[in-house]
Amino acid sequence: MALLREARRRCAALPPAVWIHLVDDAAFEAQLAQLARLDAACPDRAALLARHPLFGVPCAVKDNIDIAGAPTTAACPAFAHVAAESASAVERLQAAGAVWLGKTNLDQFATGLVGTRSPYGQPASAFAADRISGGSSSGSAVAVAHGAVAFALGTDTAGSGRVPAGFNQLVGVKPTPGRIGTHGVVPACRSLDCVSIFTLSVEDGAHVLSVLEGPDPRDDYTRFVPGPAVFARSRLRLGVPREPVLDPAYAAAWQEALGRAEALGHTLVPLDFGPLHETAALLYAGPWVAERHATVQALLEASPEALDPAVRSIIEAAGGFSATDAFRAQYALKAMQRRHAALWDAADLLLVPTAPGHPRFDAVAADPIGSNSRLGTYTNFVNLLGWCALALPSGTADDGMPFGVTAIAPADHDAALADWGRRWQAAADRSAACR
């Protein structure tokens, strides 16, 4: 219990922009009392951890995910309400013995990859005060990167769990859509949304995923297939961008990542990512933006000023699409999904830079829409195609900031992807130790 009180103190010491709501005394003590009850009901430590595999582990939860009795704002004060029940993912965490210490800041309504679109402040990367944290799961990533909590929940529709992981030297688990139930999550694009996980290690991320995954009877989009535990071969074909989009500061780190992949025995397969970028364009340039509108329509009509200007401009674009446009886009996506499935005949995994670069706050302020769009270069297409992904630390860029890569696998290969990611992280750690 003393360790949890110390973790709570560390959370309170973080920059205020990390949090929207810190656990209050009553909720914290109630969780400690529940831990005592769980402990008393088990005959020994082994039995306790078998029944409650996250017993006493401190965590944070993005503030578009409900926790019973706590406010949910989605970073919009006018939307704030106290949740009557917890999200399915939170219920599973609590049943496993995890202890939530705060609800984290985010790009409003999870609309953004920058982490700057919030009235509650703009978290910075844990590595530089002038660099964005990435978003939309900004506070969740920063809380883990500072060591205040062992893991944090985010969400990821277009890269919101992967980009901030990359900018904060974290592992970001982006499961196959439907693998973790999203009941109790404020929708961004309900048909595409995923609960994501931030940790320091792949092993920890896989452990939390094992607790959260499974069918959710309260989520109409739930879809759980266990999938393979490992890839069929140890040496994989890694599909990589033939012409990568990268800032100069990332170029050497990317080449180092490719060299590490080859040193692990994998074969690099250069691919044309143009068709994948065409698919990605559907997410914000197509009628899927209407899913965001469906969540906030009443608020937008009653109080448009309550929304962040950039978020409002994105969501208001939904009015330009008709039902006919939506069906045409669905037809186009279905054709793309079928065409891109053939990609897995040439590659076992895709390996990409998590983001093309790491902008400073002033660059995002000067071009909020363009900066955000560029960050989604290697993330926006993944959920549209139903794939899973794992963001991984991969050394340091020329400017001293963290560099990250993301491995992308077919649907339901989450466990196999985690197995591969453990090997990658072990090799990266050995490389860092030799420097």
Side-chain angles (χ1 to χ4, degrees):
M1 301 305 180
L3 291 177
L4 283 171
R5 295 187 189 281
E6 172 59 20
R8 188 184 181 201
R9 186 199 65 76
R10 289 198 304 270
C11 287
L14 291 182
V18 172
W19 306 103
I20 291 179
H21 175 76
L22 283 164
V23 67
D24 61 29
D25 290 344
F28 180 67
E29 295 299 332
Q31 292 184 91
L32 296 188
Q34 174 63 6
L35 291 182
R37 287 190 290 271
L38 296 179
D39 191 15
C42 291
D44 54 47
R45 188 71 177 177
L48 177 66
L49 293 179
R51 294 181 192 175
H52 311 289
L54 296 176
F55 184 84
V57 178
C59 68
V61 177
K62 186 176 181 179
D63 196 31
N64 62 341
I65 302 174
D66 286 343
I67 299 177
T72 297
T73 70
C76 180
F79 181 79
H81 59 280
V82 175
E85 63 177 3
S86 293
S88 298
V90 172
E91 288 184 348
R92 293 191 180 208
L93 287 184
Q94 292 177 323
V99 176
W100 72 273
L101 298 181
K103 303 201 70 185
T104 54
N105 202 357
L106 65 150
D107 284 305
Q108 191 176 77
F109 293 112
T111 303
L113 295 175
V114 287
T116 64
R117 300 171 175 176
S118 171
Y120 296 95
Q122 301 180 347
S125 165
F127 291 84
D130 66 339
R131 301 290 186 114
I132 64 170
S133 62
S136 62
S137 307
S138 53
S140 290
V142 175
V144 175
H146 278 292
V149 291
F151 72 91
L153 297 189
T155 59
D156 190 319
T157 302
S160 292
R162 288 159 281 166
V163 171
F167 289 171
N168 290 278
Q169 208 169 57
L170 299 174
V171 169
V173 178
K174 202 295 297 178
T176 299
R179 195 172 186 91
I180 299 175
T182 58
H183 172 77
V185 177
V186 177
C189 293
R190 188 181 171 201
S191 64
L192 303 175
D193 291 340
C194 294
V195 173
S196 66
I197 304 161
F198 294 96
T199 56
L200 294 176
S201 73
V202 176
E203 184 174 3
D204 286 350
H207 184 53
V208 176
L209 177 61
S210 72
V211 169
L212 297 180
E213 66 187 5
D216 180 358
R218 296 180 293 178
D219 176 11
D220 294 334
Y221 283 89
T222 190
R223 178 192 171 279
F224 176 68
V225 177
V230 297
F231 286 98
R233 64 185 91 188
S234 59
R235 297 185 176 186
L236 305 184
R237 300 162 299 163
L238 305 185
V240 299
R242 183 176 296 147
E243 298 178 355
V245 178
L246 286 174
D247 286 356
Y250 273 7
W254 173 238
Q255 289 303 313
E256 182 180 340
L258 296 180
R260 181 178 301 121
E262 290 181 312
L264 287 169
H266 305 306
T267 301
L268 303 182
V269 182
L271 298 175
D272 176 13
F273 269 59
L276 292 173
H277 297 323
E278 290 176 14
T279 301
L282 291 174
L283 192 59
Y284 284 103
W288 274 268
V289 72
E291 287 203 84
R292 299 180 186 272
H293 186 263
T295 299
V296 301
Q297 180 179 8
L299 178 62
L300 184 62
E301 292 175 353
S303 305
E305 72 285 351
L307 274 68
D308 174 90
V311 173
R312 186 171 68 246
S313 69
I314 292 166
I315 295 177
E316 285 179 336
F321 293 100
S322 66
T324 302
D325 294 327
F327 278 105
R328 285 174 176 158
Q330 288 282 357
Y331 303 152
L333 177 60
K334 187 60 68 176
M336 290 175 178
Q337 289 171 337
R338 183 172 182 176
R339 184 166 70 249
H340 293 324
L343 181 152
W344 302 117
D345 295 331
D348 303 298
L349 277 182
L350 301 183
L351 186 69
V352 299
T354 297
H358 191 168
R360 292 177 167 83
F361 282 102
D362 55 0
V364 173
D367 183 15
I369 301 298
S371 296
N372 189 91
S373 178
R374 190 166 186 268
L375 293 180
T377 299
Y378 295 111
T379 60
N380 283 353
F381 57 83
V382 179
N383 282 13
L384 285 165
L385 297 173
W387 298 341
C388 56
L390 181 66
L392 296 159
S394 187
T396 304
D398 287 348
D399 57 6
M401 296 300 292
F403 176 70
V405 297
T406 294
I408 302 167
D412 309 320
H413 281 61
D414 304 74
L417 185 57
D419 178 72
W420 186 88
R422 290 187 193 97
R423 301 171 194 272
W424 174 274
Q425 191 169 35
D429 290 345
R430 286 195 300 270
S431 176
C434 291
R435 288 196 179 101

